[in-house]
Amino acid sequence: MTKGPLKVLYAATEVTPLAKTGGLADVAGSLPRALRALGLDIRIVLPRYKNIPGTYVTDFPVRLHGRWETAIVRETRLDPAPDQGRPAVPVYLIDNYRYFHRDELYGYPDDGERWAFFSRALLALGEKIDFIPDVLHLNDWQVGPAAAILRTEYRSQPLYAQTAAVLTVHNLEYQGLFGKDILGVLGLPTELFHPDGVEFYGQVNFLKAGLVFADSINTVSPTYAEEIRTPEFGQGLDRLLVKRAADLYGIINGIDDQFFNPATDPCVPFNYSASDFGPKRRNKAALQRELGLPENDVPVFGWVSRLVDQKGFDLLGKLGEDLLNRKLQLVVLGKGDPRYEGMLRDLKKRFPTKVGLHIGFNAPLAQRIYAGSDFFLMPSRFEPCGLGQLIGLRYGTIPVVRATGGLADTVIDCDQDQRHGNGLVFSHYGAEDFRAAVLRALALYAAPARLEALVGYGMRQDFSWGQSARGYVAMYRKTTEKVEKSTAGA
Ligand code: ADP
């Protein structure tokens, strides 16, 4: 049995507020704090992207394909909210000027080598800082290979014999595919290059390396954990996930309800709460002004998202004209696929008094959209968990979503279920069904008493980490017990 608090090294490539492109950062910035509050000795390891401040701790060489790269370790911490009295979470920043001092986090030709370096460095870190984890908690494809390196290289050392690896898949679509040569960079044996190992149609698949070698796999909602075992959602990995079903968990994400709090959010011009959400109307007017829209009393539909196929922007492409000829305004904040950026710019040009648009990543504006909109759009093709709908609910903005993944687990249709409904839900992915859901939103807006009851209900729901964090502790315990048993029997 493990003595003392469970030691967890939580490896992620983005952590709010230090570096963020999407939902992973929100999870990595809040779940570890919730777990620390439950008494775990959890620490985060993150690349040191340029400008993240941190105090020098140590440095060490990392062997990459017959040469050495230096990992400089700096330390910072995630402080708890002032009124929470929880301990801070240490964050180790792995610094390497060549790999991480760049403008963007992802999308470079040498990404395979960058994440190979980070995967090796985070494993070597433990001994350097005297923190051998009971659980190595890996997040997404970039650090998938660390599970394979742990199993093939570290587990045979007494110090790491009982370290368990957990892999959380935040989005199965992103897998990290590279040529076979990357195995040499990772320091993994070429014998692993076969379909039951890390090979995926002639390439090395970083996520698959994690899925095959992690002791437990987790994804971020119960529905997505089921969906990914089907060909429709499995992104070519469904058969492997069926094989690993006994070790596959689905734990719904929470949000940091201190950070996402309309009563205290410094980005929101007029703070408000579930007991008095009157000021929300003034936030709407401020948002309309900020984005150059007339301050009309029409429903405002907010959309804050990466602009990628997953999120359903093709539906807006089909419906834009139809919807924008109605009495409503659409406010979009996003960045991504140039096709969708162009489509949105075009809609803005054609409907300048109906469309508010900001192309780019802008966290404070996102908060003002959550606070100032009446409805929040998430017509996703698939959605592992989705945080936008949870933040929307917290800010009294009614989600309009497609029933898939975590959206199906968190949003209940208010026309179908009058008691528990908190949003508008459609099932089939298609323009007609999306349109019908938006029309139901317009009808709701025309019934203020019903709308207000729904706003208050959503704001009072609890989407904080409490219960899910306990789910993680249970998964960690089960996984360490399994590893202990298997090494005892070895
Ligand atoms: P995903 O992780 O697939 O991007 P989620 O809904 O899980 O989607 O999380 C998205 C997070 O990123 C939310 O906090 C959302 O507000 C934020 N976000 C997405 N795009 C932007 C943007 N352009 N500017 C600011 N925040 C954004």
Side-chain angles (χ1 to χ4, degrees):
M1 280 299 288
T2 312
K3 303 279 184 306
L6 201 64
K7 288 194 265 179
V8 182
L9 186 63
Y10 189 92
T13 54
E14 46 186 280
V15 176
T16 298
L18 304 171
K20 171 168 173 177
T21 71
L24 167 62
D26 290 333
V27 174
S30 53
L31 171 62
R33 291 201 288 185
L35 290 169
R36 192 98 186 163
L38 292 177
L40 274 59
D41 185 358
I42 184 166
R43 309 183 190 187
I44 295 172
V45 55
L46 169 78
R48 182 184 184 237
Y49 304 108
K50 58 178 192 181
N51 302 332
I52 301 180
T55 318
Y56 173 86
V57 177
T58 184
D59 58 76
F60 57 88
V62 176
R63 196 175 171 79
L64 276 193
H65 211 284
R67 62 187 169 78
W68 297 94
E69 282 288 339
T70 303
I72 301 166
V73 184
R74 296 174 203 277
E75 188 176 357
T76 180
R77 48 189 225 170
L78 292 186
D79 285 322
D83 58 331
Q84 283 183 317
R86 297 167 172 180
V89 180
V91 181
Y92 298 104
L93 302 162
I94 303 284
D95 196 357
N96 176 291
Y97 190 86
R98 202 147 63 87
Y99 291 137
F100 300 131
H101 285 234
R102 303 186 184 184
D103 289 337
E104 304 288 336
L105 273 53
Y106 315 119
Y108 295 98
D110 61 346
D111 273 357
E113 189 178 316
R114 294 170 76 217
W115 302 120
F117 167 77
F118 185 58
S119 292
R120 289 207 71 86
L122 70 91
L123 277 163
L125 175 70
E127 253 179 290
K128 309 293 175 193
I129 57 167
D130 196 21
F131 183 76
I132 307 298
D134 301 307
V135 177
L136 181 64
H137 189 158
L138 305 166
N139 289 279
D140 276 352
W141 69 266
Q142 291 88 347
V143 289
I149 301 168
L150 176 72
R151 285 283 276 275
T152 55
E153 199 177 311
Y154 279 72
R155 272 272 169 85
S156 54
Q157 304 170 24
L159 210 50
Y160 292 91
Q162 308 225 317
T163 295
V166 171
L167 173 72
T168 294
V169 179
H170 296 262
N171 191 328
L172 197 66
E173 185 177 16
Y174 303 104
Q175 300 182 359
L177 301 178
F178 302 96
K180 191 180 171 188
D181 290 352
I182 202 73
L183 285 179
V185 182
L186 284 163
L188 284 172
T190 47
E191 294 84 76
L192 295 185
F193 195 71
H194 61 80
D196 289 331
V198 304
E199 191 209 328
F200 187 74
Y201 300 100
Q203 289 188 290
V204 173
N205 183 323
F206 274 32
L207 186 70
K208 189 175 175 192
L211 294 175
V212 169
F213 288 102
D215 299 290
S216 292
I217 300 164
N218 166 55
T219 187
V220 287
S221 70
T223 295
Y224 194 59
E226 281 179 22
E227 288 172 341
I228 56 177
R229 283 177 266 167
T230 65
E232 188 187 349
F233 294 94
Q235 310 276 356
L237 292 167
D238 40 293
R239 289 216 310 254
L240 168 59
L241 289 161
V242 167
K243 219 159 87 183
R244 297 230 48 196
D247 303 314
L248 177 59
Y249 298 76
I251 304 175
I252 195 83
N253 281 338
I255 53 171
D256 182 338
D257 58 357
Q258 298 288 317
F259 183 81
F260 292 115
N261 184 356
T264 53
D265 189 333
C267 301
V268 171
F270 305 98
N271 290 117
Y272 59 100
S273 64
S275 55
D276 175 19
F277 47 84
K280 193 168 162 56
R281 198 167 291 177
R282 283 193 278 159
N283 288 312
K284 174 168 164 177
L287 180 67
Q288 289 170 319
R289 259 197 314 280
E290 180 176 355
L291 292 174
L293 295 172
E295 288 172 46
N296 296 341
D297 180 18
V298 293
V300 170
F301 290 78
W303 199 339
V304 179
S305 175
R306 294 181 297 117
L307 303 179
V308 292
D309 287 338
Q310 175 199 337
K311 302 291 183 178
F313 284 94
D314 59 323
L315 300 183
L316 182 64
K318 288 181 189 138
L319 282 184
E321 176 135 9
D322 174 336
L323 293 183
L324 290 163
N325 277 321
R326 295 167 195 274
K327 281 193 176 159
L328 57 81
Q329 291 175 352
L330 174 68
V331 166
V332 186
L333 165 63
K335 176 180 163 179
D337 191 329
R339 263 186 317 147
Y340 295 130
E341 294 188 359
M343 176 192 93
L344 289 164
R345 285 200 177 97
D346 184 53
L347 280 179
K348 165 85 194 157
K349 218 181 278 165
R350 287 167 51 210
F351 298 92
T353 60
K354 298 281 186 72
V355 178
L357 177 64
H358 184 97
I359 300 285
F361 191 91
N362 186 330
L365 176 57
Q367 298 314 103
R368 292 195 289 278
I369 294 176
Y370 287 115
S373 304
D374 298 294
F375 297 96
F376 192 80
L377 297 176
M378 277 183 94
S380 305
R381 249 174 223 281
F382 69 92
E383 195 59 75
C385 175
L387 297 176
Q389 81 281 17
L390 304 182
I391 304 170
L393 285 163
R394 179 100 174 111
Y395 283 70
T397 301
I398 293 163
V400 180
V401 310
R402 171 163 181 257
T404 181
L407 296 172
D409 292 329
T410 53
V411 185
I412 296 170
D413 189 89
C414 62
D415 288 331
Q416 299 283 326
D417 185 338
Q418 308 263 346
R419 254 185 84 195
H420 304 103
N422 58 1
L424 292 151
V425 182
F426 65 100
S427 301
H428 172 71
Y429 186 84
E432 269 318 301
D433 294 51
F434 180 41
R435 192 169 78 114
V438 173
L439 295 188
R440 288 197 292 130
L442 297 183
L444 189 59
Y445 189 80
R450 222 186 131 209
L451 182 74
E452 279 188 17
L454 211 55
V455 168
Y457 177 67
M459 289 186 75
R460 270 184 227 103
Q461 283 190 289
D462 179 8
F463 290 109
S464 65
W465 273 104
Q467 199 171 328
S468 293
R470 282 188 287 278
Y472 273 90
V473 176
M475 174 176 66
Y476 290 159
R477 294 271 177 219
K478 266 190 164 168
T479 312
T480 51
E481 277 163 23
K482 189 175 74 171
V483 171
E484 273 166 31
K485 259 192 216 143
S486 72
T487 50

